[in-house]
């Protein structure tokens, strides 16, 4: 039987309800067998995260415990070089049947930055790309992507066919929360209750993460 696996990469510094709600909505919309959250080790495009990989991973594990089909995939933390998405896709593909569908989930902003990713033209050889849209997102892809979107996008996301190679756009319930905001609240001694799962909050408190003195 053909499996459908979604992947959502991020720094998850820390994981929050925006990530989790988005992941759950996509998992239900596409009836995914699994949706893997993949914490980045050394993101090529971002500043160094402000807590350890071990803590970020532990928090994602707590967040998705008992929440199938959400799961954690720690492969990028096990590598000793930058975590290019293409490498992750290649290694995931090696573990799947050829006909299994792999859906790479990216926000609109990340999608617009795709042409700066390592060997980006090859990504669609390994996966479909599912772009999460919001009402405030730009309505047109940047020039560099427009040919690819014209050639590869499907109007109906449910019609994604084959193991890889297509692009679909889906609307997502907006939740205006970011890890940056959560780190700032914690650094100024404020509560982040209801912005992260209670188990993640307990971990943050127990380990004294993101406090101003760290
Ligand atoms: P930071 O504030 O540190 O930049 P972040 O909250 O944007 O972090 P990331 O770990 O960079 O979180 O995000 C990983 C993925 O989750 C990205 O694809 C991003 O678009 C998506 N994401 C982040 N915040 C939300 C949100 N509130 N709703 C839906 N998706 C989100």
């Amino acid at each position: 039987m053909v499996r459908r696996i979604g992947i959502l990469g991020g720094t998850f510094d820390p994981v929050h309800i925006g990530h989790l709600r988005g992941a759950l909505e996509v998992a239900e919309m596409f009836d995914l067998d699994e949706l893997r959250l993949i914490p980045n080790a050394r993101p090529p495009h971002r500043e160094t995260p402000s807590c350890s990989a071990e803590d970020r991973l532990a928090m994602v594990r707590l967040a998705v415990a008992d929440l199938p089909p959400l799961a954690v995939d720690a492969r990028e933390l096990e590598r000793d070089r930058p975590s290019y998405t293409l490498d992750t896709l290649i290694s995931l593909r090696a573990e799947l049947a050829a006909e299994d569908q792999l859906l790479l989930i990216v926000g609109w902003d990340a999608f617009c930055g795709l042409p700066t990713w390592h060997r980006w033209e090859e990504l669609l050889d390994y996966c479909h790309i599912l772009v999460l849209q919001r009402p405030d997102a730009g309505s047109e892809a940047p020039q560099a992507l427009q040919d690819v979107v014209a050639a590869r996008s499907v109007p109906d996301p449910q019609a994604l066919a084959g193991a890889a190679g297509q692009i679909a756009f889906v609307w997502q319930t907006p939740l205006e929360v970011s890890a940056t905001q959560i780190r700032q609240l914690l650094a100024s001694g404020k509560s982040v209750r209801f912005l992260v799962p209670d188990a993640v909050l307990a971990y943050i408190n127990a380990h004294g993460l993101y406090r101003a003195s760290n």
Side-chain angles (χ1 to χ4, degrees):
M1 206 173 114
V2 175
R3 301 211 310 147
R4 266 192 158 177
I5 312 248
I7 60 174
L8 176 66
T11 40
F12 303 119
D13 187 19
V15 65
H16 56 67
I17 56 163
H19 303 129
L20 296 165
R21 183 66 215 168
L24 200 55
E25 285 186 12
V26 169
E28 289 188 333
M29 200 181 303
F30 289 90
D31 198 18
L32 298 182
D33 294 289
E34 236 185 313
L35 193 156
R36 301 189 191 185
L37 277 67
I38 307 189
N40 300 148
R42 282 173 288 277
H45 300 116
R46 298 183 46 132
E47 293 164 20
T48 311
S50 62
C51 80
S52 71
E54 189 190 5
D55 285 332
R56 291 184 292 115
L57 176 61
M59 289 188 282
V60 179
R61 286 216 161 106
L62 287 168
V64 304
D66 306 319
L67 202 59
L70 271 54
V72 188
D73 188 317
R75 76 187 60 218
E76 293 198 0
L77 301 178
E78 288 151 10
R79 276 193 209 139
D80 58 359
R81 58 195 184 99
S83 31
Y84 292 119
T85 300
L86 187 70
D87 296 337
T88 302
L89 292 170
I90 291 170
S91 95
L92 280 162
R93 266 282 158 222
E95 296 167 11
L96 300 175
E99 62 275 19
D100 286 344
Q101 282 193 333
L102 203 47
L103 270 64
L104 174 67
I105 300 155
V106 294
W108 172 255
D109 289 356
F111 180 67
C112 291
L114 212 67
T116 66
W117 291 21
H118 179 64
R119 291 164 56 190
W120 72 277
E121 298 96 331
E122 293 167 55
L123 295 169
L124 285 167
D125 294 344
Y126 299 93
C127 64
H128 295 301
I129 296 181
L130 200 58
V131 187
L132 301 183
Q133 289 263 45
R134 290 157 168 245
D136 57 350
S139 55
E140 283 211 341
Q143 196 61 43
L145 277 174
Q146 281 188 12
D147 289 347
V148 183
V149 170
R152 304 293 196 107
S153 65
V154 290
D156 175 8
Q158 298 297 342
L160 278 176
Q166 297 180 324
I167 300 172
F169 297 86
V170 291
W171 290 96
Q172 186 199 4
T173 308
L175 278 172
E176 285 307 324
V177 50
S178 70
T180 303
Q181 176 201 9
I182 289 168
R183 293 193 301 272
Q184 285 168 352
L185 287 169
L186 287 162
S188 58
K190 300 222 169 63
S191 172
V192 296
R193 184 112 200 258
F194 308 125
L195 295 178
V196 298
D198 285 346
V200 171
L201 181 57
Y203 187 95
I204 289 171
N205 290 337
H207 293 79
L209 303 181
Y210 307 114
R211 294 204 185 121
S213 55
N214 282 349

